[in-house]
Amino acid sequence: MRGLLTLKDLKEEKIIELIKYAEKLKRGFRISYPDKKIATLFFENSTRTQYSFQVALMNLGIKVVDFDTQLSSIAKGETLYDTVRTFEALGVDGVVIRHSKDEYFKELENIKIPIFNGGDGKANHPTQSLLDLMTIYEEFGKFKGLKCCIVGDISHSRVAHTNIEVMQRLGMEVYISGPEMFNDHCAPYLPLDEAIEKMDIIMLLRIQFERHQEKMNMTKEEYHEKYGMTYERMLKMKEKAIIMHPAPINRGVEIADSVAECEKSRIYKQMTNGVYIRMAVISDSLDGNL
Ligand code: CP
């Protein structure tokens, strides 16, 4: 299959190449594909991924075909495969898809146009991980030996699962922290206050209430006190350490309002880098390399 479905398909050298290409685009390099059209199919809510893909497409001179699930024939029972096959038949040059089903793309093996995965269930979020890696690379100029702790709702997080696999492959030390009920043992566990003092990167996650079968056994205020990035915890981080979060953020829950835009926060830089990473991925694919 063409496009980008999971980072597990990309070798470490290719990941670095895409980050360097995104940095070149960020410095002002321009490339244009004025005859191309790409459809964005979001079956789950999204602000950053959906609209940064759209901005990336516009920056590349590509026409955006915006798909509204509410007004589409999904409501009449049309399947994901038939929806994507329809866009292929209409002549679009690729599709961006977000879907709640883990590895939805396994149903799309007959599709010939590139598919760019905007997130599948709890499994993969490849462009989010690439923009996270770009932000880390910009900050530290390397991956090997860096220590990162991902804090929060690990078990429901495609960002955590994608980042842990690729960060370990790139030589980073990756840990998880947060409530035991969200620990799926995908990386070694560290108590939060130990992680705060030792890590180069603290990556916070939102509690994904929409994916919970079970009720969380604490209030948002209790969560903030036990597992949130409070102002006091931020002051205990290493001098050059940074705070990341894929967003949307819940101010006052996993991160204090006063910390969300503090000097250590790279949250809005991550969003900016998302545009350039998505430009790099789409351009590389349209050039026949992905
Ligand atoms: N980070 C992220 O995937 O945000 P959205 O859900 O808003 O796209």
Side-chain angles (χ1 to χ4, degrees):
M1 293 173 76
R2 295 165 59 204
L4 180 60
L5 304 168
T6 162
L7 285 192
K8 290 174 198 149
D9 293 340
L10 296 190
K11 294 206 177 339
E12 293 85 289
E13 300 74 40
K14 185 68 190 178
I15 289 167
I16 305 283
E17 184 191 310
L18 283 169
I19 291 169
K20 292 198 177 232
Y21 187 25
E23 286 179 338
K24 185 171 159 183
L25 289 159
K26 192 174 178 180
R27 288 194 299 272
F29 175 76
R30 282 293 167 265
I31 183 162
S32 191
Y33 303 86
D35 299 329
K36 302 290 184 189
K37 298 175 280 299
I38 289 187
T40 53
L41 283 58
F42 279 72
F43 297 91
E44 265 192 353
N45 293 0
S46 167
T47 300
R48 273 144 297 276
T49 311
Q50 179 166 211
Y51 295 102
S52 75
F53 259 115
Q54 292 196 1
V55 172
L57 291 167
M58 289 174 201
N59 289 349
L60 292 168
I62 297 167
K63 290 174 192 69
V64 179
V65 182
D66 198 3
F67 174 76
D68 184 338
T69 49
Q70 302 299 316
L71 298 175
S72 74
S73 289
I74 295 283
K76 301 175 198 164
E78 190 160 52
T79 64
L80 175 64
Y81 174 79
D82 282 323
T83 303
V84 178
R85 186 71 187 87
T86 298
F87 278 103
E88 186 174 52
L90 295 178
V92 304
D93 300 284
V95 286
V96 180
I97 302 177
R98 169 172 287 188
H99 202 284
S100 58
K101 186 173 175 192
D102 286 15
E103 301 186 323
Y104 66 79
F105 43 81
K106 288 193 170 160
E107 295 168 28
L108 303 177
E109 279 171 0
N110 288 340
I111 300 294
K112 306 277 187 302
I113 54 174
I115 299 170
F116 305 100
N117 185 5
D120 58 290
K122 301 186 285 297
N124 301 277
H125 199 345
T127 57
Q128 176 70 45
S129 281
L130 286 174
L131 73 88
D132 290 342
L133 293 172
M134 178 181 176
T135 307
I136 292 167
Y137 198 71
E138 276 186 346
E139 192 72 32
F140 299 100
K142 62 171 188 177
F143 296 110
K144 205 167 172 51
L146 291 176
K147 295 182 173 68
C148 174
C149 185
I150 307 180
V151 183
D153 189 352
I154 307 292
S155 56
H156 298 93
S157 174
R158 54 190 166 222
V159 177
H161 296 138
T162 311
N163 269 334
I164 289 166
E165 187 278 326
V166 70
M167 285 177 173
Q168 288 176 337
R169 218 156 22 102
L170 290 164
M172 291 175 63
E173 270 182 49
V174 193
Y175 302 90
I176 56 174
S177 190
E180 187 53 39
M181 69 181 292
F182 300 140
N183 182 356
D184 62 3
H185 307 279
C186 54
Y189 185 91
L190 269 188
L192 179 59
D193 287 305
E194 188 180 336
I196 291 284
E197 292 181 9
K198 291 185 177 164
M199 296 293 109
D200 300 297
I201 301 138
I202 297 285
M203 182 176 286
L204 304 165
L205 298 176
R206 181 178 68 88
I207 303 165
Q208 301 197 35
F209 291 104
E210 72 276 21
R211 293 189 205 279
H212 287 198
Q213 307 294 322
E214 70 284 5
K215 275 227 175 301
M216 199 171 65
N217 56 3
M218 70 187 101
T219 64
K220 291 177 179 178
E221 292 73 22
E222 285 168 342
Y223 183 93
H224 186 61
E225 197 174 313
K226 277 189 171 166
Y227 303 110
M229 179 60 80
T230 59
Y231 186 76
E232 293 71 30
R233 285 197 174 107
M234 182 272 289
L235 293 178
K236 289 186 182 152
M237 290 175 69
K238 294 201 293 189
E239 191 191 338
K240 299 235 163 97
I242 59 169
I243 298 166
M244 299 177 70
H245 192 314
I249 58 175
N250 288 309
R251 292 175 188 245
V253 186
E254 70 273 9
I255 187 163
D257 189 26
S258 58
V259 176
E261 297 180 60
C262 75
E263 177 263 331
K264 287 194 170 300
S265 169
R266 297 294 177 271
I267 297 171
Y268 290 91
K269 188 174 189 186
Q270 287 172 263
M271 295 178 203
T272 303
N273 285 345
V275 172
Y276 298 106
I277 274 293
R278 289 170 178 127
M279 287 172 74
V281 166
I282 294 160
S283 168
D284 205 45
S285 177
L286 292 179
D287 289 349
N289 302 316
L290 267 183

